Amino acid sequence: TPTPGLKKSFAKVVVIGDSGVGKTSLIQVFENNKFNQTFKPTIGADFSNKELIVEDKLVTLQIWDTAGQERFQSLGSAFYRGADCCVLVYDITNPLSFANLNNWKATFLTKSDPKDPQTMPFLILGNKADEEGARKVSAEETQRYISQQDGTFIFFETSAKENKNIEDAFRELVKKVTFRQ
Ligand code: GDP
Ligand code: MG
């Protein structure tokens, strides 16, 4: 039974990062606890919902995933409009995907145009943490990057394959969101 007195809250979450880093896999595991190696993202819905209880809130996260357009840098403005937070994903085995985070962050801020960029929460996910043997980006490197940024940043290394740290990361992100309702 639902806890009485929970405040209903809503947040739009935009998930971006280079193609192949595991964005769709992370969202699927977060929502359905299912990692499907052969899943082929097609022209599905733009977003899907996930409910989380965090502190005194029942939060509906409206999670926006790309349908592969990130390969062509052609995400429309509807994708970013009204975002309450941003998930930036890289692959710990792919240094270019890490180097590109800054461009993704800049694009997000330009297109979502938040009133206060300082309080816009960014969740950085270093995904494929199960591939330790192929690691090319250290956690220290990412922490150094974050320490050079202005604003609100949270960092987790995750594995969609092993369902590691995904829910914890989204929970921490939700705690940083400024809710409108
Ligand atoms: P997207 O393009 O960012 O949405 O990435 P996908 O979710 O489509 O994943 C790209 C590839 O990486 C697929 O072959 C996934 O099976 C694989 N993948 C995703 N997450 C992980 C992970 O945590 N570990 C490993 N080893 N592979 C992953
Ligand atoms: Mg995808």
Side-chain angles (χ1 to χ4, degrees):
T1 52
T3 314
L6 280 178
K7 291 182 202 130
K8 282 195 178 173
S9 305
F10 169 88
K12 174 172 175 176
V13 185
V14 164
V15 182
I16 49 181
D18 283 4
S19 178
V21 296
K23 301 180 297 298
T24 300
S25 301
L26 285 165
I27 294 167
Q28 288 203 322
V29 170
F30 181 47
E31 294 183 347
N32 312 311
N33 291 306
K34 260 190 215 117
F35 179 72
N36 187 347
Q37 200 99 41
T38 57
F39 174 77
K40 289 277 185 303
T42 45
I43 23 112
D46 295 329
F47 61 81
S48 50
N49 289 338
K50 166 82 176 174
E51 286 188 339
L52 267 189
I53 294 174
V54 180
E55 294 163 343
D56 61 341
K57 293 185 198 69
L58 172 61
V59 183
T60 301
L61 296 177
Q62 186 187 73
I63 303 176
W64 287 64
D65 187 16
T66 75
Q69 312 96 313
E70 72 271 34
R71 252 165 280 174
F72 321 106
Q73 308 277 325
S74 62
L75 289 160
S77 52
F79 186 82
Y80 294 98
R81 194 179 303 128
D84 297 295
C85 56
C86 179
V87 181
L88 296 171
V89 187
Y90 69 96
D91 167 355
I92 68 157
T93 73
N94 178 348
L96 183 58
S97 72
F98 176 68
N100 282 335
L101 286 187
N102 217 34
N103 292 328
W104 282 113
K105 178 187 150 238
T107 302
F108 173 83
L109 286 174
T110 303
K111 298 223 177 157
S112 68
D113 193 23
K115 275 189 213 109
D116 184 2
Q118 290 292 324
T119 61
M120 175 60 75
F122 288 93
L123 170 61
I124 298 192
L125 298 182
N127 192 43
K128 308 196 186 181
D130 55 281
E131 300 254 30
E132 190 53 51
R135 177 191 286 274
K136 301 267 171 50
V137 183
S138 70
E140 290 71 27
E141 230 175 300
T142 308
Q143 258 135 15
R144 210 174 313 130
Y145 167 73
I146 290 172
S147 69
Q148 291 158 357
Q149 306 298 307
D150 287 328
T152 307
F153 287 83
I154 305 162
F155 168 50
F156 281 84
E157 288 192 347
T158 54
S159 167
K161 193 173 181 178
E162 296 180 346
N163 193 355
K164 189 182 153 220
N165 274 346
I166 302 170
E167 182 163 331
D168 287 347
F170 276 93
R171 285 187 174 280
E172 292 307 312
L173 176 63
V174 164
K175 290 179 190 169
K176 302 283 188 198
V177 169
T178 308
F179 288 101
R180 293 168 289 183
Q181 47 170 316

